[in-house]
Amino acid sequence: EVQLVESGGGLVKPGGSLRLSCAASGFKFDDYAMVWVRQAPGKGLEWVSAISFNVRATYYAGPVKGRFTISRDNARNRLYLQMNGLKPEDTAVYYCGKTRVSDQNVWSTRDVDVRGPGALVTVSS
């Protein structure tokens, strides 16, 4: 059974940083690209970032490009999202997601095969 568990969410002031982690199990982690998606209060699911199976390619949505960094540790079955320069509009529940592919050029929320329960990130002064 595929399991994904996020951690590292919390309350942070505008301009601050947080690092989300995702522990993956139940599948061959290094065969699949992984993604982060988020859902802000009252809004739909939004794709945030993706990383290829072999770590060689990373992709970012426009609103987070230059502020967020996705990474993975295939030896430990871990996915990460380093978030710097956080803004109130980044407030959302962040989900780690497994995809069905190893890599591709264009990403959306439809690429999420399985996602975790989520981690709440609140950016507020």
Side-chain angles (χ1 to χ4, degrees):
E1 178 189 2
V2 173
Q3 288 197 332
L4 301 167
V5 181
E6 302 90 346
S7 61
L11 173 64
V12 63
K13 293 183 178 179
S17 298
L18 278 177
R19 188 193 195 206
L20 300 180
S21 298
C22 172
S25 62
F27 65 103
K28 197 170 186 301
F29 185 73
D30 57 2
D31 273 357
Y32 297 96
M34 296 293 291
V35 299
W36 288 98
V37 296
R38 68 185 181 184
Q39 187 163 23
K43 296 190 176 180
L45 205 59
E46 176 188 21
W47 173 76
V48 174
S49 183
I51 186 167
S52 65
F53 73 109
N54 58 4
V55 196
R56 290 180 184 171
T58 57
Y59 309 86
Y60 298 94
V64 308
K65 198 167 188 177
R67 300 187 297 120
F68 290 11
T69 302
I70 191 171
S71 61
R72 65 190 294 167
D73 183 342
N74 285 344
R76 297 184 65 211
N77 289 3
R78 294 289 192 274
L79 177 71
Y80 304 100
L81 186 68
Q82 177 67 43
M83 305 184 291
N84 299 329
L86 283 160
K87 305 175 181 181
E89 52 264 42
D90 294 317
T91 295
V93 177
Y94 285 73
Y95 301 93
C96 160
K98 173 191 171 293
T99 73
R100 298 182 183 88
V101 299
S102 58
D103 193 12
Q104 61 190 30
N105 291 326
V106 179
W107 295 94
S108 78
T109 58
R110 293 187 297 273
D111 297 307
V112 177
D113 180 23
V114 179
R115 57 179 161 122
L120 176 62
V121 172
T122 303
V123 185
S124 174
S125 55

